[in-house]
Amino acid sequence: MALAGGAGLLQLVLTMLLGGGLAGGGIAGMPPGERDPNLIKAASTECLIYCEWVARGAGEPGGPGVVGFAADPEVKDFMEKLTSAVTSRLREEASREGPEQQIVAEQLPQLLIDLSARPGCILLNYAPRNVGGADAEPLDEAAAPWAAYLRGLEATLIIDGGEKSDEIADRIGKLLDVPPGLEKTDDLKMQSLPIPVPGLKMTLHRDENYFVLAVGRESLIETALSGIAGDGNGLAEDDRFAKAFEATEVKKLSSLLWLDSARLLEVGSTSFGMYGGVANGVARTLALDRLDSIATCVGVEEGQIVTRTELRVMDGDRVGIWALAAGEAIQADDFKTVPGDADFVAAVSINAKEILTQTRTIIAQTSPNSVEVLDRRIEQFETMLGHSLEEDVLTSFGQKVIIHNAPSTGGVFISSPIAMVEVTKPEQAFGIFSKSMSLLDDWLPGETREPPRRRGVFLAKQKFLGKTIYYVNFVGEDEVPFAPSFCFTGKHVVAAPHPQPIKAYLRYVDSPSDEQESFADVVQEMVSGSEGEVIAYNRLDANKAVDLLYAVVPYVAQIVMSEGQKRGLEMTVFDVPSAAAIRPYVFPATSLTTRTDRGYVVESRAALPVPGLQVAPAALAVPFFAVQRSASRARAMREFNLQRQERLLEKAEEAAEEAADEAAE
């Protein structure tokens, strides 16, 4: 449905604007270990969504990035202690509840750890025949309307247990003793499990080292196992799948994701009645029906966690919502005025004129009367500004926007960012900028004088190195720490949260020297060596960020561990890894979005060697404390209510006795 394209486009837009994060990857398959080549054989070429991950590796002492981080003695000791402390507290908490909760606390945490360390995959499909076909089972009259659509879902989870298979099976068997009335089968053969969806079945089956969980038809298990044991290559035989993953391949794979957007739209349009028709109409209006597939590979290259995603588009025309990615190609020279010591840089190319054209087209197709409203708003804007939006404003300024932060201009870890918009027609752009400043001045409340005091918010300006810097001056507003500032340099319109970054920037561009490094030198290799046209680029020097943030880590850790120990967590601040256990494995975080003849490719390289695996136990501890606190409060309230009822009962008995005595007298 339209959701398929929307999800892919959302990822593209967010990556363009925000770039890659500090961390990357997921809990499974990191650092990468062995891959089970049989798993992909279980997926047919008609699979809508396929997700696979490899076994978790042990890492390598002294290795680069996540490979060395996972094997670092301090990190391993911290993870082991944290996991042990949290699980022991869960067991202690469960011991107060009952035998069933004790079984869950004993078996479930270690089961999840064992399963996440093994290779596996998830297959998702949709079978309309299960909804309204001859084979569809009738639903109870009390079933919700959406239950019929859910019956078409076919999901399969496959885990290769390897040498842990018997231990995993034993833990699952003990957990199956908990649900009352559940009939267990021998050796987990076609074990039915309860699922709160009418007409939908869930079945668990073990076949030697493979554990298969199927939601939908029981025959899904047989289909998956026959695929694993067969001679074919399953989904890998699909030409579209093969080409997509050739474009996103990483050196050491940890996980991959395939979403067949074209078929998902087709199935959704024909299987969900009126809702499918509406979704199909939205997709075609936005041109999301041109999205063929989304393929993502996550892995490790030279120790750094790398994520590559390709959005394959069937038609190269940048119509509909694809106008968001229709900007001019970004070149290394675009960064010449960015200081070389910049620790954060984000650049994006936006074709505002094309976006406006496509927006008007989309509105005309969905709500023709709204086009007139849009045109009136644009006309009001043009009257106020005194310039035509399309002929003057959008032609006077370029398509590239760059935001940067550099210590040389006063910024530390994005504390003083500077935004720059390129200028293509200086004279016309200066007139538009001047008029904009005049409108801003009129819009602000202004200044009031009550001698000897002053108050107000108004636009002030000062000359500096031949340029005029405008800034919003707050008088008597102590709670406002910003003074938004603007400057027209002739080549760019520059904005910053204070005048100081702009002043430092003007000094940088006013006195260039051969020894002064530009960020163009830093970005040259990545931008010029990329396949296709670069339409977005982001970089964060995480080494500086880690140095800054780790200065406060011991203080925060002491507070957290103190609270944890008070609540029974057997860990102290000593267990937190030192900076020497983190800094050697840190990389600059980068993200690059390119436009190719096949569609769009987003590549991000994580800064920290912290996939979901490394933070999972810590994340578990947070809700654990919250749940424990809620449970403690609930128990305290229950005891309070019982005591209150006992007191009320005692008072009632005393009152009854007094009444009886009075009656006897």
Side-chain angles (χ1 to χ4, degrees):
M1 295 185 299
L3 180 61
L9 187 71
L10 178 62
Q11 179 177 2
L12 173 66
V13 172
L14 289 179
T15 305
M16 287 174 59
L17 296 179
L18 304 178
L22 283 174
I27 186 172
M30 193 66 70
E34 68 202 41
R35 182 184 181 187
D36 187 339
N38 294 320
L39 291 175
I40 198 169
K41 294 161 59 177
S44 72
T45 55
E46 295 183 352
C47 186
L48 292 177
I49 299 176
Y50 177 75
C51 178
E52 180 189 338
W53 57 93
V54 305
R56 185 190 309 148
E60 179 183 340
V66 67
V67 178
F69 180 81
D72 187 274
E74 279 194 72
V75 174
K76 289 181 63 178
D77 183 63
F78 174 75
M79 297 303 299
E80 290 171 0
K81 286 185 176 180
L82 184 57
T83 302
S84 175
V86 172
T87 53
S88 64
R89 285 294 296 127
L90 288 174
R91 294 191 191 101
E92 182 181 342
E93 186 71 20
S95 65
R96 306 173 187 172
E97 303 296 336
E100 293 83 4
Q101 285 76 8
Q102 291 182 41
I103 294 175
V104 174
E106 286 283 346
Q107 304 300 328
L108 186 58
Q110 188 59 47
L111 176 63
L112 295 177
I113 291 173
D114 292 341
L115 291 176
S116 66
R118 300 300 307 162
C121 68
I122 296 175
L123 324 174
L124 289 176
N125 213 331
Y126 194 84
R129 63 179 178 274
N130 298 336
V131 178
D135 298 334
E137 297 181 6
L139 283 176
D140 187 274
E141 292 183 0
W146 47 262
Y149 291 118
L150 283 180
R151 289 191 306 176
L153 177 66
E154 294 186 344
T156 308
L157 168 66
I158 306 173
I159 300 289
D160 177 3
E163 68 279 0
K164 288 274 191 178
S165 296
D166 291 339
E167 184 178 338
I168 290 173
D170 181 64
R171 293 188 183 280
I172 293 176
K174 292 178 180 178
L175 287 170
L176 291 178
D177 291 330
V178 175
L182 181 66
E183 296 183 7
K184 292 177 60 177
T185 61
D186 295 334
D187 301 324
L188 298 179
K189 300 296 183 183
M190 303 303 291
Q191 173 68 58
S192 295
L193 300 175
I195 181 171
V197 179
L200 205 59
K201 297 180 179 179
M202 183 161 62
T203 309
L204 175 65
H205 179 77
R206 180 188 178 185
D207 184 81
E208 297 182 353
N209 289 341
Y210 288 102
F211 296 84
V212 185
L213 179 68
V215 177
R217 298 176 291 112
E218 288 185 353
S219 59
L220 292 173
I221 293 177
E222 181 181 352
T223 302
L225 292 175
S226 62
I228 289 175
D231 297 328
N233 293 318
L235 184 58
E237 295 178 353
D238 186 277
D239 184 60
R240 294 161 58 234
F241 177 88
K243 289 181 178 178
F245 282 98
E246 181 181 353
T248 57
E249 184 180 10
V250 293
K251 291 182 179 179
K252 190 66 174 176
L253 180 71
S254 68
S255 63
L256 62 86
L257 171 68
W258 160 259
L259 192 151
D260 191 338
S261 307
R263 189 165 174 273
L264 187 61
L265 176 61
E266 177 186 350
V267 171
S269 301
T270 57
S271 304
F272 291 90
M274 177 185 68
Y275 304 106
V278 172
N280 185 53
V282 172
R284 296 186 183 282
T285 300
L286 299 178
L288 288 173
D289 58 325
R290 302 189 179 203
L291 181 62
D292 177 75
S293 62
I294 302 174
T296 297
C297 281
V298 181
V300 174
E301 294 182 353
E302 285 76 45
Q304 191 169 20
I305 301 175
V306 178
T307 302
R308 289 195 183 96
T309 298
E310 181 188 60
L311 284 75
R312 185 156 293 209
V313 181
M314 291 179 281
D315 191 332
D317 292 342
R318 298 156 198 164
V319 298
I321 205 162
W322 302 108
L324 291 172
E328 296 176 351
I330 296 174
Q331 308 294 336
D333 286 349
D334 294 324
F335 299 90
K336 277 190 173 181
T337 57
V338 177
D341 67 333
D343 52 24
F344 171 77
V345 176
V348 63
S349 181
I350 301 175
N351 190 333
K353 188 173 184 178
E354 186 63 25
I355 291 175
L356 179 60
T357 300
Q358 293 300 322
T359 300
R360 184 181 278 112
T361 301
I362 292 172
I363 293 176
Q365 293 176 354
T366 56
S367 178
N369 293 334
S370 298
V371 176
E372 297 180 6
V373 176
L374 175 63
D375 290 338
R376 283 200 299 270
R377 294 287 185 269
I378 293 176
E379 185 178 348
Q380 292 173 358
F381 171 79
E382 292 176 338
T383 301
M384 179 178 60
L385 192 61
H387 293 273
S388 168
L389 176 61
E390 293 192 51
E391 296 179 6
D392 297 336
V393 178
L394 299 184
T395 60
S396 298
F397 301 95
Q399 301 179 8
K400 299 161 190 174
V401 179
I402 298 178
I403 301 174
H404 72 269
N405 181 91
S408 60
T409 56
V412 178
F413 191 38
I414 324 180
S415 63
S416 294
I418 298 175
M420 306 187 306
V421 179
E422 65 175 340
V423 171
T424 53
K425 297 181 179 179
E427 290 188 18
Q428 191 166 271
F430 179 73
I432 296 172
F433 173 79
S434 300
K435 182 62 176 179
S436 300
M437 292 297 100
S438 176
L439 292 173
L440 176 60
D441 189 22
D442 294 339
W443 178 78
L444 293 173
E447 180 185 13
T448 59
R449 289 178 177 269
E450 297 178 1
R453 299 182 179 276
R454 299 170 59 196
R455 289 191 67 86
V457 182
F458 58 95
L459 191 67
K461 61 181 181 179
Q462 293 284 344
K463 283 282 188 179
F464 187 82
L465 295 179
K467 303 292 189 296
T468 302
I469 299 177
Y470 295 83
Y471 60 98
V472 179
N473 192 17
F474 294 86
V475 180
E477 304 290 337
D478 297 337
E479 68 277 10
V480 181
F482 299 104
S485 306
F486 313 90
C487 181
F488 184 88
T489 70
K491 294 182 178 180
H492 296 91
V493 171
V494 182
H498 305 96
Q500 284 73 25
I502 295 182
K503 291 162 67 176
Y505 172 76
L506 292 177
R507 295 183 62 164
Y508 169 79
V509 297
D510 188 62
S511 57
S513 66
D514 295 336
E515 299 179 357
Q516 197 173 38
E517 185 183 20
S518 165
F519 195 79
D521 303 323
V522 179
V523 78
Q524 174 68 42
E525 183 178 353
M526 176 173 283
V527 172
S528 60
S530 63
E531 179 187 2
E533 300 174 319
V534 177
I535 54 176
Y537 170 80
N538 303 273
R539 186 180 188 273
L540 173 66
D541 189 342
N543 301 80
K544 296 178 181 178
V546 169
D547 289 343
L548 177 66
L549 294 177
Y550 220 89
V552 301
V553 164
Y555 299 93
V556 176
Q558 170 58 28
I559 297 172
V560 173
M561 291 303 178
S562 175
E563 180 70 15
Q565 290 175 86
K566 184 178 73 173
R567 300 184 177 279
L569 192 68
E570 296 299 328
M571 293 186 71
T572 70
V573 68
F574 180 84
D575 299 317
V576 178
S578 67
I582 306 294
R583 294 185 76 257
Y585 311 113
V586 177
F587 294 91
T590 60
S591 176
L592 194 70
T593 302
T594 57
R595 184 176 56 226
T596 69
D597 56 356
R598 301 182 306 273
Y600 306 91
V601 177
V602 181
E603 176 182 314
S604 63
R605 294 178 174 266
L608 303 181
V610 186
L613 164 66
Q614 309 300 345
V615 298
L620 176 64
V622 175
F624 166 70
F625 288 135
V627 170
Q628 186 201 33
R629 179 176 297 180
S630 299
S632 300
R633 288 179 177 175
R635 282 195 298 270
M637 183 60 69
R638 186 166 59 247
E639 293 174 359
F640 172 80
N641 288 334
L642 288 174
Q643 294 174 1
R644 182 170 179 271
Q645 290 174 3
E646 290 175 356
R647 289 195 299 269
L648 290 175
L649 183 60
E650 290 175 357
K651 289 182 178 180
E653 290 175 351
E654 292 174 359
E657 291 176 358
E658 292 177 0
D661 292 339
E662 291 177 359
E665 292 176 357

